[in-house]
Amino acid sequence: MSALRFGIPAVVVLGLVVLLAFGLTRDPSAMPSALVGKPMPAFELPRLHQPDQLLGRKDLLGQISVVNVWASWCLGCRTEHPLLEALAERSGVALYGLNYKDERAAALRWLDEYGDPYVASGHDAEGTVGIEWGVAAVPETFVIDAQGIVRYKHVGALDRKALEETVIPLIESLRSDSA
Amino acid sequence: MRRIAAVALLLAPMLATAAPVDLTAEQQARYQDLTGQLRCLVCQNRSIAESDAPLAQDLREIVARQIAAGRSNEQIKEFLVARYGEFVLYNPRFQPATWLLWLGPGLILLVGAAVAFWLWRRGRRRPEPPPPDVERIRQLLDEDRS
């Protein structure tokens, strides 16, 4: 009789502890991207280097691409820059830039100073294309497969862990899938 | 005159959330209501009505433009959810993914009430202690006194 009286509350409390402990391991600010698994949004932007030419969705189709949202005013972009260069070099993936709410002159100066890892950058001066991609912070990085489906979104500066454990393996598996 | 100035001063904060696009009074009300229901994804504990973040400004403008263009609240919410995910809505919608969130507390309350009731019933069923044997007690007390 008394075993049951202690037993039931003990089980309930233990269950609660397990549940809450699990909860502590989760990131409350993590937002699953609404775009993963869906086709990338259609867009057309003037190219940063040649503003009379357009960069659009069709330029990315037919190859595995990585779209990186960046700006000259963004500190995280400076931090992740070497990793982006490493990514482009190691995986041979086509890296495109989405220059978000930036001044063209400042953006070009930034690329001159730090190096331009992008095949091309689109100049999204107003941020309207950013909204289509669900951009909430800068930088953000998207991995897109050859059919134009968004496969992964990384919010914030790319770090070595995400690069080695998620991005590069994903690109390699996409490559072997289509091979 | 001073009263008018006082009222104007009190109402001034409302200018901060005035729609960036010209709206009718009814649309303005919808705008205030809707922007209060949408989360600012930068400062995640504030709505886009309250937040100063540039993204919140952009989203407020989108809401205002879409209201002016005649889209319904549902359509505007759907537009933002498609791009930013369910998290952009302050009130998660009632769907299989959020059933546990919405019904959880009620269920736990029911389970707790059921357990409490069961324990109470068990308590009542415990047999009464036997009535005191007064004679025997007197006997023992007499023995003790002598």
Side-chain angles (χ1 to χ4, degrees):
Chain A
M1 193 88 106
S2 73
L4 207 58
R5 279 185 70 188
F6 283 116
I8 293 179
V11 165
V12 170
V13 169
L14 199 65
L16 211 60
V17 166
V18 167
L19 187 69
L20 295 176
F22 172 66
L24 278 176
T25 64
R26 306 195 60 156
D27 179 2
S29 64
M31 294 180 289
S33 168
L35 288 183
V36 172
K38 296 210 207 125
M40 70 168 138
F43 70 96
E44 246 181 14
L45 289 170
R47 290 178 182 238
L48 199 61
H49 289 289
Q50 305 96 9
D52 54 330
Q53 288 176 34
L54 293 172
L55 177 68
R57 187 169 174 266
K58 55 177 166 46
D59 296 301
L60 274 65
L61 290 173
Q63 58 183 343
I64 302 169
S65 38
V66 170
V67 172
N68 173 252
V69 182
W70 68 278
S72 61
W73 45 261
C74 152
L75 288 171
C77 303
R78 255 178 260 180
T79 319
E80 70 170 7
H81 193 266
L83 290 175
L84 282 178
E85 289 184 316
L87 173 64
E89 220 168 299
R90 278 170 57 184
S91 66
V93 80
L95 182 63
Y96 289 92
L98 187 69
N99 184 234
Y100 180 73
K101 295 187 112 178
D102 208 353
E103 236 201 278
R104 189 167 168 265
L108 290 170
R109 264 198 308 270
W110 195 91
L111 290 176
D112 273 340
E113 190 176 338
Y114 295 99
D116 186 357
Y118 306 108
V119 169
S121 278
H123 185 215
D124 185 15
E126 299 300 311
T128 38
V129 170
I131 302 246
E132 293 301 309
W133 286 76
V135 171
V138 187
E140 288 186 353
T141 306
F142 297 82
V143 177
I144 301 162
D145 68 22
Q147 288 75 39
I149 310 286
V150 177
R151 294 304 205 103
Y152 174 69
K153 173 180 179 182
H154 185 88
V155 177
L158 206 57
D159 53 67
R160 191 152 280 284
K161 182 166 188 260
L163 184 68
E164 302 289 347
E165 292 179 16
T166 313
V167 178
I168 292 193
L170 174 61
I171 292 173
E172 283 169 3
S173 84
L174 288 174
R175 197 157 269 144
S176 62
D177 277 351
S178 59
Chain B
M1 190 56 206
R2 222 178 285 170
R3 195 172 294 179
I4 296 174
V7 171
L9 214 59
L10 283 171
L11 291 178
M14 283 187 71
L15 288 172
T17 53
V21 166
D22 285 329
L23 296 176
T24 67
E26 190 203 323
Q27 287 174 329
Q28 182 76 235
R30 266 182 70 200
Y31 170 79
Q32 301 289 358
D33 179 47
L34 202 48
T35 54
Q37 292 178 37
L38 297 166
R39 188 190 304 270
C40 170
L41 297 143
V42 179
C43 347
Q44 294 172 347
N45 288 323
R46 308 179 86 180
S47 67
I48 60 175
E50 305 163 321
S51 171
D52 304 321
L55 180 67
Q57 283 171 18
D58 289 348
L59 294 180
R60 283 202 298 269
E61 200 175 313
I62 287 184
V63 171
R65 284 191 200 290
Q66 295 206 359
I67 289 180
R71 303 185 82 188
S72 73
N73 281 12
E74 265 314 303
Q75 286 174 316
I76 298 174
K77 284 188 202 174
E78 197 46 57
F79 177 89
L80 290 173
V81 169
R83 285 153 186 77
Y84 287 97
E86 283 290 328
F87 198 59
V88 77
L89 299 175
Y90 245 136
N91 290 325
R93 297 189 288 198
F94 193 68
Q95 11 172 253
T98 56
W99 279 350
L100 201 57
L101 184 65
W102 278 107
L103 301 174
L107 283 174
I108 293 175
L109 189 63
L110 278 176
V111 168
V115 169
F117 180 68
W118 180 69
L119 288 173
W120 176 73
R121 287 284 301 275
R122 283 186 67 224
R124 290 196 67 193
R125 255 189 261 122
R126 196 175 299 124
E128 295 273 327
D133 185 350
V134 182
E135 276 306 314
R136 180 82 180 116
I137 290 174
R138 273 216 197 98
Q139 219 176 31
L140 289 167
L141 285 173
D142 284 338
E143 279 173 26
D144 204 38
R145 233 178 268 132
S146 59

